[in-house]
Amino acid sequence: MKKPIGIFDSGVGGLTVVKEIFRQLPSENIVYFGDTARVPYGIKSDKLVTKFSLQNTRFLSTFDIKLLVVACNTASAVSLDALRQKFSFPIIGVIEPGARAALRGSKNKGIGIIGTEATIASVSYEKFIAEIDPSARTFSQACPLFVPLVEEGWLQGEITSAVVKKYLEPLKRQSVDTLILGCTHYPLLKSLLEREMGKGVTLIDSAEEVVAKVGEVLGDKRLRRSGEESPFRRYYVSDIPTRFVRIGRRFLGEDISPVEQVEIEKY
Ligand code: DGL
């Protein structure tokens, strides 16, 4: 099936999901939209994030996508139901796969969740976890400074380590053996987060889980692409692409130009 997978995020962060698609589903065609004009979503209201998510999906649907990945945790947390009501292709968010993986990985059922303010306020991870296993204990922490630090490329060093320490301190006082990285940007801080939480804590990178889920859904619906030609990968953003291209290289570890700009408010 030649139709592409559509992916959107509030900006560059969703490229961590794209990277996983390259690894797990390398022959799939993809169209990525990064809403760079309106990022960050993590500090905006549910209503506004839902409006943005609908516009982003309307834009991606013009490519006749076979499946949509909402790579943004914030958008997944607040707008998935609205999207599923409006569009008929399968829509995969990042919350459920991350929550399931955490429950699979946790031995003592103590699960930490870190994310943007909007994701943590939505208690979406907690709701999913409680539905699947009411005996699980969850502890959450919003980490609003992580996104700008990652965007600046401050993935190591004294300042980022101090911020990591400060945010994780309350979680370390709880008996968590699993920590969900509930934001697109956090996998880039994995080594610092791992060091801070210590050996006994497993970090859950939602990107891996989400793409595994995408593979499963495409397989079940017989929508996998198996063509010999190399796949196409298109990238669109809502503001000028310069910064996206530069930061995107860091997320993907490879060049992503050309990147086109779209007027997303029209959709
Ligand atoms: N993509 C967002 C998320 O995963 C992080 C960046 C933002 O706040 O827009 O929650």
Side-chain angles (χ1 to χ4, degrees):
M1 157 79 79
K2 277 191 178 152
K3 288 183 180 184
I5 297 173
I7 304 149
F8 82 78
D9 178 45
S10 54
V12 282
L15 292 176
T16 48
V17 174
V18 171
K19 192 170 185 176
E20 264 310 300
I21 294 185
F22 290 178
R23 205 176 64 84
Q24 293 186 41
L25 304 168
S27 45
E28 292 297 338
N29 294 323
I30 60 161
V31 183
Y32 181 93
F33 174 72
D35 198 0
T36 51
R38 306 186 292 193
V39 70
Y41 284 9
I43 51 168
K44 296 199 169 85
S45 68
D46 294 6
K47 195 173 164 208
L48 200 54
V49 173
T50 301
K51 178 190 152 191
F52 294 167
S53 298
L54 286 165
Q55 285 180 320
N56 302 346
T57 308
R58 256 179 242 126
F59 167 67
L60 287 170
S61 67
T62 63
F63 294 90
D64 197 17
I65 56 175
K66 60 181 172 185
L67 177 144
L68 174 75
V69 182
V70 180
C72 177
N73 281 258
T74 306
S76 295
V78 305
S79 59
L80 223 52
D81 291 343
L83 294 177
R84 286 188 173 138
Q85 271 167 28
K86 288 253 178 332
F87 300 93
S88 55
F89 37 73
I91 299 179
I92 297 181
V94 288
I95 308 283
E96 191 183 343
R100 285 191 191 280
L103 280 168
R104 260 201 322 274
S106 175
K107 290 195 179 66
N108 73 2
K109 302 282 176 231
I111 299 172
I113 304 152
I114 52 175
T116 63
E117 283 175 281
T119 298
I120 297 305
S122 75
V123 292
S124 302
Y125 277 107
E126 289 89 333
K127 279 189 210 149
F128 261 116
I129 290 170
E131 260 172 42
I132 305 167
D133 184 347
S135 73
R137 294 165 296 114
T138 48
F139 307 92
S140 64
Q141 175 69 44
C143 307
L145 289 175
F146 284 179
V147 168
L149 285 169
V150 170
E151 297 254 335
E152 279 309 307
W154 290 22
L155 308 181
Q156 299 286 341
E158 224 178 288
I159 295 171
T160 308
S161 300
V163 175
V164 165
K165 202 177 169 56
K166 174 98 183 150
Y167 280 143
L168 296 191
E169 207 193 342
L171 289 177
K172 282 176 72 181
R173 278 191 258 113
Q174 309 297 336
S175 54
V176 300
D177 69 354
T178 307
L179 179 67
I180 299 178
L181 309 186
C183 173
T184 46
H185 288 55
Y186 299 179
L188 279 97
L189 296 173
K190 209 168 181 176
S191 60
L192 276 189
L193 297 168
E194 243 158 18
R195 199 185 318 149
E196 190 55 36
M197 290 309 284
K199 277 215 169 65
V201 179
T202 309
L203 303 196
I204 304 292
D205 172 350
S206 17
E208 281 174 30
E209 303 302 327
V210 169
V211 177
K213 177 82 186 169
V214 171
E216 206 181 292
V217 173
L218 291 180
D220 286 352
K221 297 191 178 292
R222 301 189 183 282
L223 290 173
R224 290 283 276 265
R225 176 175 181 266
S226 52
E228 273 102 57
E229 296 157 52
S230 45
F232 67 75
R233 287 153 181 181
R234 297 198 185 134
Y235 301 93
Y236 295 86
V237 288
S238 47
D239 195 4
I240 54 162
T242 331
R243 189 177 154 84
F244 181 86
V245 171
R246 180 166 48 82
I247 301 176
R249 201 176 298 135
R250 185 159 61 233
F251 272 75
L252 277 187
E254 65 174 53
D255 237 332
I256 52 167
S257 52
V259 180
E260 280 177 49
Q261 187 176 347
V262 287
E263 260 186 72
I264 197 65
E265 291 286 357
K266 283 197 326 208
Y267 290 87

